[in-house]
Amino acid sequence: MMFRLGRTAEPTRLVSSIALPAMLTYVATALFGLADMWVIGRLGDAAVQSAVELGAKFMMALLIVFALSFLIGQRVSSREVAPLVIVGGYATSIGSAISRKAG
């Protein structure tokens, strides 16, 4: 089954085109968090460390929301909503499978 994305692409390529930048973002975020904890950990105050971690989580949530709204806006403006629905279905399936295994 083929989908049109400016050129013909298969679903795995479509998913990986979205997943690869997300994975790189998560790795970079983890490295920034490690650096934050190392620097703030030198102060020796647990309240400050928790505040930095909460702030990092909040910023990551904002980043994800803005990135997803940008991708959705791109697809809607180019009238290629079908691949977005398929990728959303894949993501929902994978997420529910992971949550079943974890829970």
Side-chain angles (χ1 to χ4, degrees), residues 3-9 75 78 80 83:
F3 303 101
R4 185 163 151 62
L5 253 176
R7 62 180 187 263
T8 307
R75 296 290 177 221
S78 67
E80 292 182 10

Side-chain angles (χ1 to χ4, degrees), residues 38-61:
W38 180 70
V39 171
I40 299 299
R42 308 279 291 172
L43 295 175
D45 189 7
V48 174
Q49 284 181 328
S50 62
V52 167
E53 186 60 27
L54 285 175
K57 298 292 182 194
F58 178 71
M59 292 302 290
M60 186 62 189

Side-chain angles (χ1 to χ4, degrees), residues 13-49:
R13 185 172 175 172
L14 178 64
V15 170
S16 64
S17 71
I18 294 173
L20 184 62
M23 289 177 359
L24 292 174
T25 301
Y26 289 135
V27 168
T29 302
L31 291 175
F32 283 127
L34 181 65
D36 284 343
M37 284 297 128
W38 180 70
V39 171
I40 299 299
R42 308 279 291 172
L43 295 175
D45 189 7
V48 174
Q49 284 181 328

Side-chain angles (χ1 to χ4, degrees), residues 58-78:
F58 178 71
M59 292 302 290
M60 186 62 189
L62 283 178
L63 175 69
I64 290 171
V65 167
F66 288 137
L68 285 177
S69 63
F70 173 75
L71 288 173
I72 290 169
Q74 258 188 337
R75 296 290 177 221
V76 169
S77 68
S78 67

